Structure formats: C-alpha cells, structure tokens
C-alpha cells in the first residue's frame, strides 16, 4: 500500500495541523492506539464524538478566484456554525484552510492514487502538474450520529461548490481519492434526510497481498467517528466476496454503532437498512444472507488510515482455522454456485488435460517470478473419497507456493463426499496429479481451464 504521506514536509505540516485541532476542539481527548496482542472489542458504542475530515482542491492553473476569500464569504452566508481558526464546542465546526503555493514541497500529489481515482487519464495528468493546492480541514465535536452525517453532507457540498467556483480538482485525504467536480457530485453528494444513507460511496477499500493472501482495509470511516475495518488472510479468488462482506459490516456499524456483546457482530443482510447497498450485491439462491463475525482491537499496519482499526474474523464455529472459517462465512452470507459434475473421462477430455499438464513447467516458472497482486493461479487436483465406493473428487486449489513437484494452496470448493475437508483448508497436491489450471490475470482475462468447456459440452449432451 502507498505510504500515507509522500514527503516529510507534508508530514510536518500535518503534525502542525493536529496541534491546532487539539487546541481548538473541546473534547474528552483521544484514545491511545490499542496494544498487542489483539483484544476483542468491548461491548458498547463504537462512536467517537470528536472527528475531523480533510479535503483539498488541486489547481493545474491559477484559481479563478481566491479560494480562501470565497470560503470565508460562503461560510458567513450559509454556514454560520463553521468557524475559521476559532475555539469551537459542540454543534460547531472548526475550519482550518490554507492555500499552499508549492505543491511538490508542502502537499505533494500522491500520483499512485491517480490510477485508482474517479478522474480521466487527461485529468490525472493535469492534477499531477498542479502548482497550488487549497487544503481544508474540518474538525467537530458532535455526539449525535445524525448531526455528524449532516455535517459530512454539508462539507461535501461546500467542497463541491468551492471546486466549481475556483476551478480545481478534489482530493479526499481520508480515502485517498481524486475527483472531478462531476464525479464528486455523483459519488459524494447525498441527502442526509434520507437516513441512513449508503456509507459505501463515502469510504474506500484498499486491498493488497500480505504476503501471499489478501488484506482489505477501509478508509474514511473516521469522518463518521467510527473505526476503520480490516479483514485478512483472504484467498485472491475470494477477495471480491470478502470486500462485499467488509462493506456490509461497515454499513452495519454505521447504522448500529452499538455492540451488544463483546467482540461479536451478527451480520444479517436483511437487517441492513440501506436497500441501495444490499440490492447492489448478488446472492445465490442457497444464501442464508447472514454470518457471524468476531471484532478485534488491533494497531494499524503501515499505510493504514490514522484511525482506530477493528479487524474482522469469521466466527470459529464456521471451520478449523481462520481461512476455512472465512470461506464458510462467505458461503453462509452470499451462498455458492454449488454445481457438481459427475462424468466419465473420455478421450477428448484426457487429451485436453495432457495439454494442460505439458504447460505446467512454464507455468511454475511464471508463478515463481511472482504474479501481480490481483492475479491468481488455480489448479484442479484429485482428492481421495474414503468409503466403499472410493473414487476421486476433483476440486480447485488456489496456489500459494510451488516448490519443485509440490504445491501448497487453499482448497476453494466444499467437497461432496469428503466430510472432513472444507473450502479454505490448507492442502498439498503433487504437480503430476494436476488435471488442469486456471490463471486469472489482472486485466480480467484468463488462461487455461480448457477441460471445463469439454465437461460442459458433455453435460449438455446428456
């Protein structure tokens, strides 16, 4: 993940800003980060009444009008509770705003984020060449969530109007996203009266390998006085479903930030009040649409947001080990395709398998040279069925290590006839036993899995 700050000068500027916030905000103080080892999150409220939100406007050209003068006039006319560099209390918002004229030195563009932001390639080049940036930090002490949400809505509208009137591009420091005014308005403006809003457009997730499996972390929950959420040890093949779980958990905590039991969260899709969010996800017919999670207090990893962090794990009731439990929890929540093919291998199928096996040495070399973070390699391998009828069950394994003839990986299917084995289990297979492979590339394309096409043809011919 990218570092939070890309230059020491920006870090010094931010530390100075924190000093001003601490002086001006009247509050009970900030809790120290939790110590290790992780502890379950205590029952009670997850909210913090004191929070801050930083938005910047980058200018590829000189601003159309002085942004500070525009801001002062706008606050005076429409937002009387927003006070610039004054001591504030409950119900008021502290505003610290500065026009920085040396972007490279004082508040550099985090160029890696341009590739993942809501701007076009042309706009990204303009932003990268910005000479000035107007940085606004809004601090508040607000014990009521509804009022806090109202403030975030106002700040988003204010930032949009400022960027429109002064001619710049928006940056959300919490989520590390760039926006044009058009994409900002599409994604960030909302009506707080329609509570609870969908929190997902207001936050972001970052996912990365750590080291072989995926870790997901949210960014932006701090705006609402809530902790950010992490989920670790995710097979690449399950990362999309895991991100959906994280979004649903974030929405649940946003809507109901009170934990009834220490470290426990029962996540039910049907209890999420934001129909917009739930309807944006697909559920298989066999989905139970619920799962049980444990919540842990953890310290931040490098690059994590400057916020409290809660780590999610699936309840141990779902399986032996963290990954196995997670796979079962995801299946419980979203369901699974659950298709099983019963076939006799024919000549065409065996030929396709041999062709795949011939490519394995080159595939091993490619894998050992490291795949991209969002790429994965799956192999289809046999697992012995114990019982009077015997036989083998062929299932997909996500490869974690490939040393010589031995492959170590994560089982991706729930067996039908091997009761002591579950998806998410760590398994070892031999290279000589591999029936086929599937390489998932970063551009969405795939290689291999030719045998599945033949199996589908055989099934349809029955």
């Amino acid at each position: 993940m990218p570092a939070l700050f890309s230059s020491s000068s920006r870090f010094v500027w931010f530390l100075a800003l924190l000093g001003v916030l601490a002086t001006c905000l009247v509050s009970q103080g900030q809790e120290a980060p939790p110590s290790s080892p992780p502890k379950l999150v205590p029952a009670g409220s997850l909210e913090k009444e004191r929070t801050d939100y930083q938005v910047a406007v980058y200018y590829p050209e000189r601003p159309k009008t002085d942004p500070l003068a525009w801001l002062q006039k706008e606050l005076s006319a429409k937002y009387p509770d927003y006070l610039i560099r004054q001591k504030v209390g409950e119900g008021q918002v502290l505003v610290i705003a500065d026009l920085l004229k040396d972007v490279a030195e004082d508040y550099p563009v985090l160029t890696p984020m341009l590739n993942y932001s809501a701007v076009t390639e042309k706009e990204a080049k303009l932003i990268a060449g910005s000479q000035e940036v107007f940085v606004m930090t809004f601090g508040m002490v607000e014990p009521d969530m509804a009022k806090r949400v109202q403030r975030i809505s106002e700040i988003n509208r204010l930032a949009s109007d400022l960027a429109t009137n002064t001619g710049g591009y928006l940056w959300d420091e919490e989520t590390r996203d760039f926006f044009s005014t058009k994409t900002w308005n599409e994604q960030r403006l909302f009506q707080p009266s329609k509570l609870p809003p969908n929190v997902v457009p207001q936050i972001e997730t970052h996912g990365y390998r750590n080291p072989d499996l995926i870790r997901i972390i949210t960014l932006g929950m701090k705006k609402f006085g809530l902790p950010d959420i992490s989920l670790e040890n995710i097979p690449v093949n399950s990362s999309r479903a895991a991100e959906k779980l994280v979004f649903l958990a974030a929405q649940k905590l946003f809507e109901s930030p009170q934990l009834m039991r220490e470290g426990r969260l029962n996540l039910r899709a049907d209890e999420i009040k934001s129909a917009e969010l739930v309807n944006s996800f697909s559920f298989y017919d066999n989905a139970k649409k619920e799962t049980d999670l444990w919540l842990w207090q953890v310290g931040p990893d490098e690059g994590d947001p400057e916020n409290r962090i809660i780590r999610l794990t699936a309840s141990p009731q779902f399986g032996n080990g963290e990954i196995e439990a997670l796979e079962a929890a995801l299946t419980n929540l979203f369901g699974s395709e659950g298709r099983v093919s019963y076939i006799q291998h024919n000549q065409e199928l065996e030929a396709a398998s041999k062709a795949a096996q011939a490519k394995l040495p080159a595939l091993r070399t490619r894998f050992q040279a490291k795949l991209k973070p969002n790429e994965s390699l799956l192999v289809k391998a046999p697992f012995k069925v114990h019982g009077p009828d015997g036989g083998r069950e062929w299932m997909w394994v996500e490869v974690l290590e490939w040393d010589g003839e031995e492959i170590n990986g994560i089982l991706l299917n729930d067996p039908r006839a091997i009761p002591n084995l579950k998806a998410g289990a760590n398994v070892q297979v031999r290279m000589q036993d591999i029936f086929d492979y599937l390489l998932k590339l970063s551009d969405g394309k795939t290689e291999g899995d030719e045998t599945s096409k033949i199996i589908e043809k055989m099934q349809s011919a029955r």
Side-chain angles (χ1 to χ4, degrees), residues 157-179:
R157 170 59 67 183
L158 179 64
S160 171
D161 291 343
L162 185 142
T164 299
N165 283 276
T166 59
Y169 291 91
L170 291 142
W171 163 258
D172 183 335
E173 178 72 15
E174 289 301 320
T175 63
R176 305 172 199 170
D177 285 322
F178 290 98
F179 299 85

Side-chain angles (χ1 to χ4, degrees), residues 339-345 349-350 353 357 379-385 391-397 411-418 421 429-436 451-452 455:
R339 185 178 63 176
V340 178
S341 300
Y342 297 94
I343 60 167
Q344 291 290 330
H345 292 188
L349 190 61
E350 292 289 354
S353 178
Q357 290 171 343
V379 294
K380 185 177 284 187
F383 294 84
K384 187 176 180 180
V385 175
R392 294 179 295 180
E393 198 165 344
W394 298 86
M395 293 179 286
W396 288 106
V397 174
L411 185 65
L412 297 180
N413 306 111
D414 272 318
R416 289 300 177 95
I418 312 175
L421 193 60
V429 298
R430 296 181 301 176
M431 181 173 165
Q432 68 187 51
D433 294 331
I434 292 174
F435 189 71
D436 204 348
T451 58
S452 290
I455 292 172

